[in-house]
Amino acid sequence: MNVKTLSQLVTAGELKGKRVFIRSDLNVPLNDEHIITDDTRIRASIPAIQMALNAGAAVMVTSHLGRPTEGVLAEGDSLAPVAACIAELLGDGITVRLVQNWVDGVEAQVGEVVVLENCRVNAGEKKNDEALSRKMAALCDVYVNDAFGTSHRAEATTYGIAQFAPIAVAGPLLEAELDALGKALLAPKKPLAAIVAGSKVSTKLTILQSLADKVDQLIVGGGIANTFMAAMGLPIGQSLSEPDLVNEAKSIIDKMAARGASVPIPTDVVCAKAFSKDAVATVKKSTEVEADDMILDIGPDTAAVIAGQLLTAGTIVWNGPMGVFEFDQFGNGTRVLAQAIARSTAFSIAGGGDTLAAIAKYNVGDEVSYISTGGGAFLEFLEGKELPAVAILKQRALD
């Protein structure tokens, strides 16, 4: 992985009495009463905090939350509910304090957790201001990045502080993400199947192009599949698509075919005359889509064929649902593929908000090998981009 890790420091006994600054991803959803509605990210961040505490460190942890205005801390942007949740998860005996205005100095005692208020309130955070980064680095002996979800951004708490802190390492969550993604894309067990779905080819064009050089099967769904169907000369009616990217889709199909790989094109689809939760779903052959039809899911025959392919895969990367699964009558394609992934013996990794929602709806989370916590970072890794926050950790590992 070429980065130093928190677990290595713990094993070496190098944290006792040290000030440890952890950048976590605690950006959880809140309701109108500022109550956390899903604490998954907080729970995922606890192991790093616990690891540092158990090793005898004074622990500081921060994160962004929402989209605050720099220099202004609004009530809805405060990490107060997050700090309370951390305290509850750590249990009795661990003091958890929330501190505002911490950049110029903060006292942290061994055995306690100091939650540093929303880091994006600090002027210069998003622009990776050097002066701010140096101030943050001066607060700690060890910097830990455990926020994979923000590792595609070079900000003061994800990049700058890692430049200037005495020691900079990856936390267990970031380490696990990099290991899983590396296993899936850098050294995959073959055949490698990638599911890339969503409303638009344009938002995932570079991902599709990158994967076309690596995967054995590139399975497309949603509006992306409609554009690929159009590229093969199939009728798509009024379906969501991008006509100006038909040639790009055709080139990806041709690139895959040239090396003996494939992009399975739906042979049947589920259509409706309107986009509505009450719309009547009709299964049609792909060649029989009418001018006023909207394709809202792959058909049962297509789903069965793709499911069979997934059952023989060695590695599966999943990003995006196959249809409008939020409406049950258009969810069969996503459900069948989710269940196939669950049954497969392949190493599977899934990421992206809609994908996680589908995993939850069809209750297959325990059967997916690894569920990525990062949205944008997951997608940029799929594109083959180096993530800035990981790049700086690699650089510091050479110090």
Side-chain angles (χ1 to χ4, degrees):
M1 189 168 57
N2 301 322
V3 300
K4 292 180 180 178
T5 66
L6 180 62
S7 58
Q8 289 172 339
L9 297 184
V10 170
T11 300
E14 296 181 15
L15 291 187
K16 188 173 180 61
K18 298 294 180 65
R19 299 169 301 160
V20 175
F21 185 116
I22 303 174
R23 174 48 159 108
S24 297
D25 182 3
L26 307 171
N27 186 29
V28 293
L30 305 174
N31 64 18
D32 292 340
E33 286 74 43
H34 311 303
I35 296 172
I36 297 168
T37 57
D38 182 356
D39 66 357
T40 301
R41 287 179 173 174
I42 301 176
R43 290 180 179 277
S45 299
I46 291 296
I49 297 170
Q50 192 71 66
M51 190 181 293
L53 283 173
N54 292 345
V59 180
M60 296 167 278
V61 59
T62 195
S63 172
H64 70 289
L65 180 67
R67 299 178 181 274
T69 300
E70 286 193 358
V72 179
L73 180 63
E75 183 182 0
D77 298 323
S78 175
L79 290 178
V82 172
C85 184
I86 290 174
E88 182 179 347
L89 292 172
L90 289 175
D92 296 339
I94 303 297
T95 299
V96 178
R97 292 191 291 124
L98 177 66
V99 176
Q100 297 182 21
N101 305 316
W102 49 270
V103 171
D104 290 317
V106 60
E107 291 294 327
Q109 304 300 320
V110 170
E112 75 168 348
V113 176
V114 178
V115 178
L116 306 176
E117 190 57 275
N118 197 327
C119 60
R120 284 197 186 154
V121 171
N122 299 317
E125 165 66 16
K126 294 188 72 173
K127 293 184 178 179
N128 190 30
D129 179 77
E130 181 175 335
L132 175 63
S133 299
R134 287 185 179 276
K135 283 185 176 183
M136 291 178 177
L139 299 176
C140 66
D141 303 302
V142 176
Y143 165 74
V144 180
N145 189 335
D146 205 37
F148 176 75
T150 61
S151 60
H152 59 307
R153 298 189 177 104
E155 299 179 347
T157 58
T158 63
Y159 190 95
I161 187 174
Q163 281 182 291
F164 305 118
I167 299 172
V169 300
L173 181 58
L174 178 58
E175 181 183 0
E177 292 272 2
L178 295 177
D179 284 344
L181 285 164
K183 185 176 180 180
L185 291 173
L186 303 181
K189 180 181 178 182
K190 297 285 191 172
L192 169 58
I195 301 167
V196 180
S199 59
K200 294 183 178 181
V201 172
S202 56
T203 58
K204 296 183 179 179
L205 178 60
T206 52
I207 297 170
L208 293 164
Q209 291 171 331
S210 176
L211 291 176
D213 292 321
K214 304 172 184 175
V215 304
D216 301 296
Q217 291 167 333
L218 182 57
I219 299 162
V220 292
I224 292 174
N226 298 337
T227 302
F228 274 74
M229 288 175 64
M232 296 303 291
L234 291 166
I236 60 171
Q238 298 297 313
S239 307
L240 178 65
S241 68
E242 292 176 284
D244 57 330
L245 290 177
V246 164
N247 288 337
E248 296 287 355
K250 185 66 166 63
S251 69
I252 290 170
I253 294 170
D254 292 342
K255 179 190 286 189
M256 294 281 289
R259 59 183 190 82
S262 67
V263 181
I265 303 299
T267 57
D268 63 336
V269 293
V270 183
C271 299
K273 300 301 183 182
F275 184 90
S276 167
K277 66 178 180 180
D278 300 318
V280 176
T282 305
V283 177
K284 297 186 176 184
K285 293 181 179 179
S286 298
T287 55
E288 297 176 356
V289 175
E290 298 177 6
D292 61 346
D293 278 333
M294 299 176 67
I295 300 171
L296 300 179
D297 192 15
I298 57 173
D301 290 346
T302 299
V305 169
I306 295 176
Q309 294 170 339
L310 293 175
L311 290 174
T312 64
T315 305
I316 301 169
V317 177
W318 180 18
N319 176 249
M322 301 306 291
V324 187
F325 75 99
E326 296 88 348
F327 302 158
D328 288 344
Q329 69 270 42
F330 306 114
N332 183 67
T334 302
R335 179 184 60 79
V336 169
L337 265 64
Q339 292 173 346
I341 293 169
R343 294 197 309 273
S344 172
T345 58
F347 175 80
S348 55
I349 181 168
D354 288 341
T355 311
L356 302 191
I359 287 172
K361 179 171 183 175
Y362 301 118
N363 196 29
V364 296
D366 290 343
E367 286 75 40
V368 177
S369 304
Y370 192 85
I371 297 174
S372 175
T373 60
F378 180 81
L379 294 178
E380 291 202 10
F381 197 103
L382 293 187
E383 284 184 53
K385 292 182 178 179
E386 183 160 45
L387 307 178
V390 176
I392 187 61
L393 292 182
K394 288 181 178 179
Q395 182 180 320
R396 290 303 310 275
L398 300 175
D399 291 351

